[in-house]
Amino acid sequence: MRCPFCAHDNSQVKDSRPTEDGSAIRRRRQCEDCGARFTTFERVQLRELTVVKSESRREPFDRAKLERSIAIACRKRPVPPERIEKLVSSIQRQLETSGESEMPSARIGEMVMEGLKALDPVAYIRFASVYKDFREARDFEEFAGSVGEVSGG
């Protein structure tokens, strides 16, 4: 594993343990050259997934990109990082077990919205505002109104 500090190619594993939800192995490593310590995560990947964008462009599924977009929606909200990680793992597992090697980005967006709806209503609206491309305040009002009706608010 390449050191993120000095780019040396070799490091030693000092400690390994499963993550809290058991979906990955957390490894503490130490660079053999500069001595810096860093953490890596190892996950099972059932299949190579390709995301089909709306303009028919294809790109490899990127777990980190999914995690970033959910984290942005949850920024400054009372959502623990473990819950975000659990949602990302759940979505990735659903994608990998779907039997499809290509997945439309729209379906992934819907899965994120379903997960955020259960996680935090403000994060759900934030994500929807970008995903559904709200153009003006009225779009927010209409969407937020429908969320309030669904959640009993």
Side-chain angles (χ1 to χ4, degrees):
M1 176 66 62
R2 185 178 305 259
C3 174
F5 302 101
C6 73
H8 186 69
D9 283 333
N10 293 322
S11 62
Q12 287 183 331
V13 175
K14 295 295 184 181
D15 179 47
S16 290
R17 62 181 68 170
T19 57
E20 207 171 282
D21 66 356
S23 67
I25 300 292
R26 176 185 180 273
R27 299 195 193 283
R28 287 292 294 152
R29 296 177 175 270
Q30 184 169 7
C31 177
E32 293 178 355
D33 191 45
C34 73
R37 290 183 175 235
F38 56 99
T39 303
T40 60
F41 291 88
E42 182 179 309
R43 289 185 171 75
V44 172
Q45 183 173 335
L46 298 176
R47 67 181 62 222
E48 291 290 323
L49 291 170
T50 301
V51 178
V52 181
K53 301 296 211 166
S54 57
E55 58 279 349
S56 297
R57 197 178 80 243
R58 288 167 166 66
E59 64 183 49
F61 173 77
D62 183 351
R63 179 190 170 90
K65 187 175 177 181
L66 177 63
E67 196 165 5
R68 272 191 312 274
S69 65
I70 292 172
I72 288 168
C74 293
R75 189 174 288 150
K76 296 187 179 182
R77 297 295 304 153
V79 178
E82 304 82 47
R83 297 284 308 273
I84 294 171
E85 174 69 25
K86 199 171 189 174
L87 175 58
V88 171
S89 292
S90 171
I91 292 170
Q92 183 175 11
R93 201 169 316 113
Q94 289 176 58
L95 294 171
E96 289 178 341
T97 59
S98 72
E100 302 293 325
S101 60
E102 291 190 345
M103 185 64 64
S105 60
R107 177 64 191 126
I108 297 171
E110 293 296 329
M111 294 168 90
V112 170
M113 286 188 47
E114 288 171 25
L116 286 175
K117 191 175 197 176
L119 202 60
D120 184 86
V122 172
Y124 171 63
I125 292 171
R126 284 179 180 166
F127 185 85
S129 72
V130 174
Y131 177 68
K132 294 188 177 286
D133 195 25
F134 292 175
R135 299 260 184 220
E136 45 191 71
R138 183 172 52 244
D139 297 335
F140 276 100
E141 290 172 21
E142 290 171 7
F143 188 78
S146 70
V147 171
E149 293 165 13
V150 171
S151 65

